[in-house]
Amino acid sequence: MSTTLAQEAVNKLLDFDSKLDIGLLDNVVSAMYKSTGNEQKMAQEVLTTLKEHPNSWTKVDTILEFSSNQETKYYALQILEQVIKTRWKVLPRNQCEGIKKYIVGLIIKTSSNPQSLEREKTYLQKLNMILVLILKREWPHNWESFIPDIIGASKTSEPLCQNNMHILKLLSEEVFDFSSGQMTQTKAKHLKDSMCQQFGDVFTLCQFVMENSTNAALVGSTLDTLLKFLNWIPFGYIFETKLIETLIGKFLTVVMFRNVTLKCLTEISGVTVTHYDDKFVAMFNEALKKLETMLPADTNIKEAYKDGLDDEQKFIQNLALFLCTFLKEHGQLLEKQPNTEPLLKALHYLLLISEVNDTEITKICLEYWNALTADLYRESPFNSTQSPLFMSRPYNTGTPGRRQFYAQVLTQLRYIMISKMAKPEEVLVAENDQGELVREFMKDTDSINMYKNMRETLVYLTHLDCQDTERIMTEKLTKQVNGDEWSWKNLNTLCWAIGSISGSMGEEDEKRFLVYVIKDLLGLCEQKKGKDNKAVIASNIMYIVGQYPRFLRAHWRFLKTVVNKLFEFMHENHEGVQDMACDTFIKIAIKCRRQFVQIQVGEVMPFIDELLSSINTIICDLQPQQVQTFYEAVGHMIAASVDQRQQEQLIEKYMQLPNQVWDDIINQASNNVDVLKDHEAVKQLGSILKTNVRACKALGHPYMLQLGRIYLDMLNVYKVMSENIIAAITHNGEQVTKQPLIKSMRVVKKETLKLIGCWVDRSSDPAMVLENFIPPMLEAVLADYHRCNVPEAREPEVLLVMGTVVNKLKTHMTPTVPKIFDAVFECTLEMINKDFEVFPEHRTNFFTLLQAVNQHCFSAFLEIPPQQFKLVLDSIIWAFKHTMRNVADTGLNILFQLLKNVSNHGSAAQSFYQTYYTDILQHMFSVVTDTSHTAGLTMHASILAYMFSLVETETIKVPLGPANESNVTYIQGYVANLLKTAFNHLTDNQIKITVQGLFNLDQDIPAFKDHLRDFLVQIREFTGEDDSDLYLEEREATLKAAQEEKRKNDMSVPGILNPHEIAEDMQD
């Protein structure tokens, strides 16, 4: 298809006065789907041009009637969909009625016989969706008779009835499941009310079909549709009709309907209502009787699932969902029945299903077991064996009744949990699908969540019967040692389970149990031959000891043995073992740090002294990044020393090794500066600086002793590296930055900056930092950043360090801000104001610095020249327009803070408002109405409400518009005009209400935000954009609140939180 042909095709197809050439259109559509390259591209352009023509929809009926190409028909329906979504409200009424009639006629024609119903399935689905789009705009006010019409039509033919069920299902989904954010709140409520009022006839139709029809496809559709209705219909339809009897008696045992029937019963089970208890019990008992005929209680469900067909596997999954949902909502109701046989039978089935090897099914069952065990625990939290403080409570003498009732079930559950325990994220050595042992690099969030839920359930199970848990674990460990059940998988799951119940036993029980476990595992390590076996056992020992810091803190000899064992593992070159040894060492160092700097009973000196004198031999086999982890761990120990003299001596000894290499290189460089161009030397400097960063992170302020020793040399090295990099770029061009030597030089610069930022952040004497450390740093770093004329070679870390310094030293830095701005502001802005993508690190760090200055040194902004202040404001506006969400959020925060700061500076404030107020308002509305910025809605609402209240409370004294007009009237007109220009399809009334609301609600942020959101729905209804993301923030906030609530609950149960998640002050 050449360009001229393409142009001819467009002209011919767009000539609305002549008859549409269907053959030509079919050819263009075929070219779009079947050809490639240029021809396909041109076909696409032709179709897009036609689709975007305002009158193209008038040709849809001709295309659907005469085209024989299925793809062309879909294309025609896309045109129609576009019109309904974007222009329905502006079409003349008679045209709307015409489209409605046409679509209904087409649906009836396509769905009135079984053959076309099946043959045109996809086409019909698309037609149904279009009808529902129309309904969302027409029903009920312009189409009151829709429900009676569809019911009436359904009685005329079974295929038609089957398709009408699909339409009702889609309508129910649109109104009840997806309405939030897609239509205004009032409209959604109106549709829901209409649906409920007219539901009686729909229900009668469904019931009639279920009781009388022999057409399997129709019954299937009806059950599918009913499933969608069950979560909103009035309860009377469920409990005061024969619905439940029909579902269980007629459909549950029929293979083709059992899955959808189970789903319906699950929906009903999830209903929370108290006055139908007897109905729930009857429903459950009947369902279980039927279940026994389908799946006898002695079935090996684990094997049956493994060998089952897809439909049978779905049945097991749906059964799990039904049992778990019912027992979670109504389990206590079943406990109170005179006959508890059905409940025990259901629990028996659930245990069998819990053994199935399928992640989804495990998740479903786990959720119920977790809820049950948590509930039983919270009923009487403290076991008398466990907490001596609660010995006096009389009702703890025996086991509470409900616990007694579930005791046997829980024992079986412990076996299942222990044998299926998921892998904790701390474990780095894992078995892959080929049965080989490998170092695992990727963290799988799904399995981490599974581990957390299993761990939690196991902790509750331990609280409910500590002896039983210990008995099962000990028995399984014995079978590992004597070889009866030995395998990597069995040992792993057992050890992961043992590690996960840390903190849930009494201290004495924990000690006895742990000593037994570790002895057995150490014995197993000696007994098993082969490198892989030893690696598995080693990783399990490390995981378990890392999980029990309370025990280690209380038993020095054991702690010492464990740490020495970790040092042994640091020489083990099996993948992952060294990493895990270093990770476990740092965990133990943090949790037991005081034990290492005190002289323990039976020792002649603190362990830290022994460690430092043999540090060389301990770390000789480790990789650089492992050495850095090791150094951080030792740093935590030294930080725990309370004797300043001892601490200083320890720091000196601790940094001796890296300092020797550092001094050596610096001495050579002072004789010949070209040493700093030697790749090996540069790499070593980078590595030493990384070690220093980790040491600083652990030591905090006391690290000053070491920093003082290397500081000036380090800044000199920084300058030399910068000069070398700039020289290399000048001689060889920008591509030189990809060379290994230049990359290593940049690492030295980056780590230098990181080290300064890290220490300033942890320092505790601002005056001393300001006086001694900041001037030489600014002199070295700022000049270099400004001088570097290749943007790629500027270190983004510079901006981050400046931000850190301002955040830490706060107002002390105000006099220095102009100097910092002169060096970094304009040259960085030049780099990032061309688009939203390049230099992402400079971008983020630049706005972090701006935020720090705005927050702590605002008065510095008032000192800089107006031209530079305008640049600052432009950059803030640039920030909140970003598509990178973190930058946009920072921009909004800076703006809000800036507006508040400005209002405290009288005369400066008024000139600020006069110059910038309406500008800022305009930019704010441009992001509010931009679909890629919906996540910032709360902040948008807060800023706009604040800006409107500034006008309303007359905080702004200067006139923003003509002198004879009040600011309120002027700004209302300004905003109305702004919106009218941008969205000319909105009526004057809509705009008037919107603007009025923005002023009336500016003291009530949630209401203001809802009002804003309704306005966004109105503008999107016209443009036809998806508006499901308007509630994004609410969803995020709900999740966050739920997480915080859960953490609060978790903290009240010993053992639920991983010992490494607990704050230090709560440790002992």
Side-chain angles (χ1 to χ4, degrees):
M1 187 186 266
S2 70
T3 319
T4 16
L5 276 177
Q7 198 48 54
E8 272 178 39
V10 172
N11 294 342
K12 203 165 177 192
L13 292 172
L14 287 182
D15 180 3
F16 285 90
D17 296 328
S18 61
K19 199 174 159 201
L20 182 68
D21 185 339
I22 296 288
L24 175 62
L25 182 61
D26 280 345
N27 289 342
V28 176
V29 172
S30 295
M32 162 71 191
Y33 283 100
K34 293 178 183 145
S35 61
T36 52
N38 223 11
E39 192 172 339
Q40 185 186 42
K41 193 176 164 202
M42 286 186 178
Q44 188 172 1
E45 280 169 12
V46 172
L47 294 175
T48 309
T49 315
L50 178 59
K51 189 173 169 184
E52 284 169 357
H53 192 284
N55 291 335
S56 58
W57 66 273
T58 56
K59 299 290 184 189
V60 168
D61 53 347
T62 315
I63 302 173
L64 292 178
E65 198 166 333
F66 295 107
S67 171
S68 53
N69 181 345
Q70 209 58 29
E71 274 111 359
T72 310
K73 290 184 174 184
Y74 290 145
Y75 169 70
L77 291 179
Q78 281 175 355
I79 295 176
L80 197 54
E81 187 176 5
Q82 185 84 351
V83 167
I84 297 166
K85 278 183 169 179
T86 60
R87 298 185 37 237
W88 189 259
K89 290 184 179 168
V90 291
L91 286 181
R93 210 46 251 163
N94 61 339
Q95 290 183 350
C96 292
E97 292 300 331
I99 295 177
K100 253 158 59 175
K101 265 203 182 110
Y102 177 70
I103 289 291
V104 170
L106 206 51
I107 290 177
I108 291 174
K109 183 177 151 195
T110 317
S111 65
S112 10
N113 71 66
Q115 291 74 30
S116 66
L117 184 70
E118 192 48 44
R119 193 179 59 244
E120 308 272 357
K121 206 168 167 183
T122 322
Y123 174 53
L124 197 53
Q125 277 172 348
K126 192 73 184 158
L127 285 173
N128 290 342
M129 267 316 298
I130 285 181
L131 180 64
V132 172
L133 277 178
I134 295 174
L135 281 170
K136 279 168 69 178
R137 286 152 182 82
E138 293 285 285
W139 178 72
H141 55 285
N142 284 334
W143 197 348
E144 280 176 32
S145 63
F146 168 69
I147 297 273
D149 288 353
I150 200 168
I151 304 287
S154 299
K155 291 176 182 167
T156 59
S157 98
E158 287 199 330
L160 187 58
C161 181
Q162 186 182 333
N163 187 56
N164 287 349
M165 286 295 174
H166 283 302
I167 294 171
L168 288 167
K169 176 179 152 194
L170 285 172
L171 183 62
S172 168
E173 286 176 336
E174 287 295 322
V175 173
F176 287 91
D177 302 346
F178 313 134
S179 63
S180 98
Q182 294 201 351
M183 41 182 109
T184 57
Q185 295 150 344
T186 1
K187 182 171 175 183
K189 185 179 182 313
H190 184 48
L191 288 186
K192 287 177 183 178
D193 292 346
S194 309
M195 199 97 181
C196 287
Q197 282 160 10
Q198 302 191 4
F199 184 69
D201 296 342
V202 178
F203 185 75
T204 312
L205 177 67
C206 293
Q207 212 166 14
F208 179 80
V209 171
M210 291 194 299
E211 286 172 10
N212 301 299
S213 175
T214 52
N215 177 332
L218 171 59
V219 173
S221 290
T222 306
L223 288 169
D224 277 337
T225 303
L226 186 69
L227 175 60
K228 285 293 169 203
F229 292 160
L230 285 171
N231 65 10
W232 59 264
I233 59 176
F235 295 143
Y237 289 113
I238 300 176
F239 298 106
E240 289 165 25
T241 61
K242 287 186 178 169
L243 176 64
I244 295 176
E245 287 164 47
T246 311
L247 285 172
I248 295 175
K250 193 167 178 183
F251 299 117
L252 185 55
T253 50
V254 181
V255 173
M256 69 182 301
F257 300 135
R258 64 186 180 185
N259 275 320
V260 68
T261 308
L262 263 179
K263 284 181 180 171
C264 288
L265 294 176
T266 305
E267 275 293 345
I268 296 172
S269 307
V271 169
T272 318
V273 56
T274 46
H275 50 281
Y276 290 117
D277 284 357
D278 49 340
K279 299 274 188 187
F280 278 120
V281 174
M283 168 177 115
F284 191 69
N285 292 348
E286 278 310 304
L288 269 191
K289 277 183 202 158
K290 294 284 184 195
L291 179 61
E292 275 188 271
T293 61
M294 301 151 72
L295 195 69
D298 55 358
T299 312
N300 181 338
I301 294 183
K302 183 180 177 180
E303 288 306 310
Y305 183 88
K306 200 167 89 185
D307 305 331
L309 301 168
D310 189 42
D311 194 62
E312 292 165 329
Q313 292 188 337
K314 278 201 180 112
F315 173 67
I316 301 290
Q317 185 170 334
N318 288 326
L319 177 59
L321 266 171
F322 167 63
L323 292 174
C324 291
T325 307
F326 192 94
L327 294 177
K328 210 169 164 186
E329 289 294 334
H330 313 286
Q332 295 208 21
L333 174 63
L334 294 177
E335 289 171 26
K336 293 175 190 143
Q337 299 305 307
N339 176 13
T340 53
E341 195 54 38
L343 173 56
L344 289 168
K345 198 157 281 171
L347 291 165
H348 168 73
Y349 275 118
L350 210 44
L351 284 167
L352 291 177
I353 296 173
S354 297
E355 290 182 350
V356 168
N357 286 322
D358 174 87
T359 315
E360 280 314 305
I361 290 182
T362 305
K363 278 185 194 165
I364 294 165
C365 298
L366 185 58
E367 195 187 335
Y368 167 67
W369 293 126
N370 186 295
L372 173 71
T373 49
D375 190 36
L376 291 173
Y377 168 78
R378 292 187 198 286
E379 204 177 66
S380 55
F382 294 98
N383 220 329
S384 55
T385 56
Q386 206 180 304
S387 187
L389 295 175
F390 292 89
M391 286 284 279
S392 57
R393 287 163 63 164
Y395 70 85
N396 265 339
T397 47
T399 308
R402 288 185 71 213
R403 285 192 191 184
Q404 195 69 55
F405 175 79
Y406 284 104
Q408 272 188 306
V409 172
L410 297 183
T411 293
Q412 285 174 274
L413 180 60
R414 286 182 188 99
Y415 276 107
I416 294 172
M417 282 292 165
I418 292 166
S419 63
K420 289 184 74 172
M421 191 66 197
K423 187 175 80 67
E425 58 183 317
E426 291 92 340
V427 176
L428 304 176
V429 182
E431 191 177 346
N432 67 11
D433 297 339
Q434 286 72 45
E436 304 161 322
L437 268 200
V438 291
R439 155 86 163 92
E440 198 156 73
F441 289 98
M442 283 298 289
K443 292 225 175 187
D444 172 9
T445 43
D446 222 24
S447 66
I448 290 171
N449 286 334
M450 177 82 87
Y451 167 74
K452 283 183 176 157
N453 293 337
M454 288 184 105
R455 168 202 163 87
E456 208 172 280
T457 309
L458 207 47
V459 166
Y460 284 129
L461 284 167
T462 307
H463 279 301
L464 292 171
D465 189 341
C466 166
Q467 282 87 355
D468 195 39
T469 306
E470 189 183 332
R471 176 186 65 76
I472 295 170
M473 287 178 167
T474 315
E475 176 190 306
K476 279 184 162 293
L477 185 57
T478 307
K479 289 182 177 173
Q480 287 301 311
V481 176
N482 66 21
D484 287 358
E485 285 185 1
W486 161 258
S487 79
W488 291 348
K489 182 181 180 296
N490 290 346
L491 181 69
N492 284 339
T493 51
L494 172 61
C495 291
W496 298 341
I498 292 171
S500 68
I501 58 168
S502 157
S504 55
M505 291 180 168
E507 210 162 331
E508 281 309 304
D509 291 338
E510 187 173 271
K511 175 188 171 183
R512 184 181 49 21
F513 175 58
L514 209 53
V515 169
Y516 176 83
V517 168
I518 300 292
K519 274 187 179 159
D520 264 8
L521 286 173
L522 289 170
L524 195 59
C525 200
E526 297 304 313
Q527 167 201 330
K528 289 287 175 196
K529 299 286 172 271
K531 213 167 164 185
D532 280 354
N533 286 337
K534 286 189 183 301
V536 171
I537 300 165
S539 88
N540 282 314
I541 292 174
M542 291 190 281
Y543 172 62
I544 290 176
V545 295
Q547 290 303 101
Y548 284 89
R550 174 177 75 172
F551 168 77
L552 295 176
R553 274 198 300 276
H555 301 89
W556 165 251
R557 291 182 67 78
F558 211 88
L559 172 58
K560 186 179 177 182
T561 310
V562 162
V563 170
N564 283 325
K565 194 74 189 166
L566 291 177
F567 293 164
E568 257 178 61
F569 291 147
M570 286 178 191
H571 300 288
E572 179 64 63
N573 58 4
H574 194 293
E575 271 200 304
V577 173
Q578 288 173 308
D579 272 330
M580 214 172 148
C582 293
D583 289 354
T584 309
F585 178 54
I586 192 169
K587 279 184 164 179
I588 292 177
I590 291 171
K591 292 294 173 188
C592 310
R593 52 195 179 190
R594 286 193 291 277
Q595 278 67 10
F596 296 107
V597 288
Q598 297 158 351
I599 298 182
Q600 299 292 341
V601 179
E603 303 286 351
V604 290
M605 56 173 148
F607 183 78
I608 186 78
D609 288 329
E610 278 180 53
L611 187 156
L612 291 175
S613 50
S614 55
I615 193 165
N616 214 341
T617 45
I618 298 170
I619 65 175
C620 61
D621 289 328
L622 297 177
Q623 296 300 311
Q625 71 273 26
Q626 293 163 341
V627 171
Q628 287 145 23
T629 303
F630 183 90
Y631 259 81
E632 189 182 334
V634 178
H636 283 293
M637 295 175 179
I638 297 174
S641 167
V642 287
D643 173 346
Q644 195 185 346
R645 197 157 156 275
Q646 178 203 22
Q647 194 178 49
E648 286 175 359
Q649 286 169 346
L650 289 174
I651 291 174
E652 215 152 295
K653 204 169 173 190
Y654 162 63
M655 295 308 293
Q656 206 170 345
L657 267 181
N659 282 344
Q660 277 169 3
V661 184
W662 174 268
D663 292 345
D664 191 32
I665 297 174
I666 295 295
N667 290 335
Q668 287 180 43
S670 58
N671 297 327
N672 172 15
V673 79
D674 284 349
V675 168
L676 296 182
K677 288 180 184 168
D678 172 58
H679 195 188
E680 208 37 56
V682 175
K683 261 167 73 176
Q684 275 188 312
L685 286 175
S687 189
I688 292 167
L689 285 168
K690 281 180 180 171
T691 305
N692 272 278
V693 169
R694 300 293 280 269
C696 171
K697 193 175 159 191
L699 287 168
H701 188 80
Y703 174 78
M704 183 177 77
L705 183 75
Q706 163 68 4
L707 185 63
R709 187 181 183 285
I710 62 169
Y711 195 62
L712 295 174
D713 284 337
M714 180 173 80
L715 291 175
N716 284 329
V717 168
Y718 184 93
K719 287 180 196 167
V720 174
M721 292 297 158
S722 292
E723 282 157 15
N724 290 349
I725 293 170
I726 290 172
I729 293 173
T730 313
H731 291 303
N732 308 305
E734 275 174 45
Q735 69 279 9
V736 82
T737 52
K738 307 263 187 304
Q739 283 183 6
L741 172 61
I742 302 295
K743 279 184 171 174
S744 297
M745 287 181 172
R746 292 194 66 172
V747 167
V748 171
K749 288 180 70 179
K750 192 181 174 110
E751 292 303 321
T752 301
L753 294 164
K754 227 184 201 169
L755 181 57
I756 297 170
C758 180
W759 181 71
V760 170
D761 194 35
R762 285 164 176 70
S763 62
S764 54
D765 182 348
M768 182 271 300
V769 176
L770 194 66
E771 196 176 323
N772 300 310
F773 287 89
I774 299 300
M777 187 266 290
L778 292 179
E779 189 256 324
V781 170
L782 290 180
D784 162 62
Y785 188 90
H786 193 62
R787 197 178 66 236
C788 179
N789 48 13
V790 177
E792 281 76 7
R794 288 193 190 120
E795 292 304 326
E797 206 76 31
V798 169
L799 303 166
L800 195 60
V801 171
M802 296 304 157
T804 305
V805 168
V806 172
N807 274 326
K808 186 71 187 179
L809 304 181
K810 300 186 170 56
T811 48
H812 297 295
M813 285 299 287
T814 307
T816 322
V817 168
K819 185 179 174 183
I820 296 175
F821 266 30
D822 282 343
V824 304
F825 194 84
E826 280 184 57
C827 60
T828 310
L829 200 54
E830 275 294 297
M831 291 161 64
I832 62 173
N833 66 6
K834 309 283 184 292
D835 61 31
F836 290 134
E837 275 85 42
V838 293
F839 303 115
E841 276 188 89
H842 290 81
R843 205 172 281 276
T844 320
N845 298 349
F846 175 76
F847 291 115
T848 308
L849 168 61
L850 206 53
Q851 190 170 21
V853 173
N854 184 37
Q855 203 167 346
H856 304 296
C857 313
F858 178 74
S859 53
F861 277 156
L862 303 176
E863 303 300 316
I864 59 179
Q867 199 42 43
Q868 206 173 16
F869 182 76
K870 184 175 182 331
L871 270 183
V872 170
L873 195 65
D874 287 348
S875 67
I876 296 171
I877 290 168
W878 184 244
F880 67 66
K881 290 191 168 183
H882 264 66
T883 41
M884 286 163 69
R885 186 168 164 190
N886 57 338
V887 177
D889 287 349
T890 307
L892 290 169
N893 285 319
I894 298 175
L895 177 65
F896 202 12
Q897 183 71 45
L898 181 84
L899 288 168
K900 287 177 178 169
N901 289 344
V902 162
S903 66
N904 301 326
H905 290 76
S907 57
Q910 296 308 318
S911 89
F912 171 84
Y913 295 139
Q914 199 157 27
T915 319
Y916 301 115
Y917 182 90
T918 49
D919 254 8
I920 294 174
L921 201 56
Q922 185 180 347
H923 289 298
M924 275 308 297
F925 271 105
S926 83
V927 289
V928 168
T929 53
D930 178 349
T931 47
S932 58
H933 283 274
T934 13
L937 202 58
T938 303
M939 203 53 182
H940 296 157
S942 306
I943 292 173
L944 284 174
Y946 180 73
M947 290 184 76
F948 288 134
S949 67
L950 285 175
V951 172
E952 219 178 10
T953 53
E954 295 185 2
T955 308
I956 301 180
K957 306 276 191 290
V958 288
L960 297 172
N964 58 355
E965 199 175 4
S966 81
N967 279 341
V968 172
T969 318
Y970 173 71
I971 291 297
Q972 282 183 341
Y974 178 79
V975 173
N977 188 39
L978 204 62
L979 299 179
K980 186 69 188 157
T981 317
F983 309 105
N984 51 16
H985 67 283
L986 292 180
T987 64
D988 288 347
N989 199 34
Q990 278 176 311
I991 286 183
K992 185 180 164 199
I993 291 169
T994 300
V995 175
Q996 202 52 56
L998 294 174
F999 274 84
N1000 294 351
L1001 300 170
D1002 61 15
Q1003 298 305 311
D1004 177 355
I1005 302 291
F1008 186 95
K1009 183 175 161 189
D1010 279 340
H1011 181 67
L1012 204 53
R1013 192 163 19 214
D1014 275 353
F1015 168 68
L1016 294 179
V1017 172
Q1018 285 172 353
I1019 64 176
R1020 290 187 190 192
E1021 272 181 347
F1022 179 79
T1023 53
E1025 288 166 4
D1026 177 23
D1027 29 28
S1028 53
D1029 52 357
L1030 290 175
Y1031 279 86
L1032 181 69
E1033 267 191 309
E1034 268 71 3
R1035 289 196 285 274
E1036 286 178 356
T1038 313
L1039 277 175
K1040 198 171 169 202
Q1043 281 166 346
E1044 281 168 10
E1045 183 57 32
K1046 183 171 181 350
R1047 187 169 171 85
K1048 219 157 64 189
N1049 286 335
D1050 288 351
M1051 287 176 80
S1052 66
V1053 183
I1056 287 281
L1057 286 183
N1058 186 319
H1060 303 288
E1061 295 178 287
I1062 302 171
E1064 290 302 298
D1065 51 356
M1066 293 173 63
Q1067 280 296 317
D1068 294 309

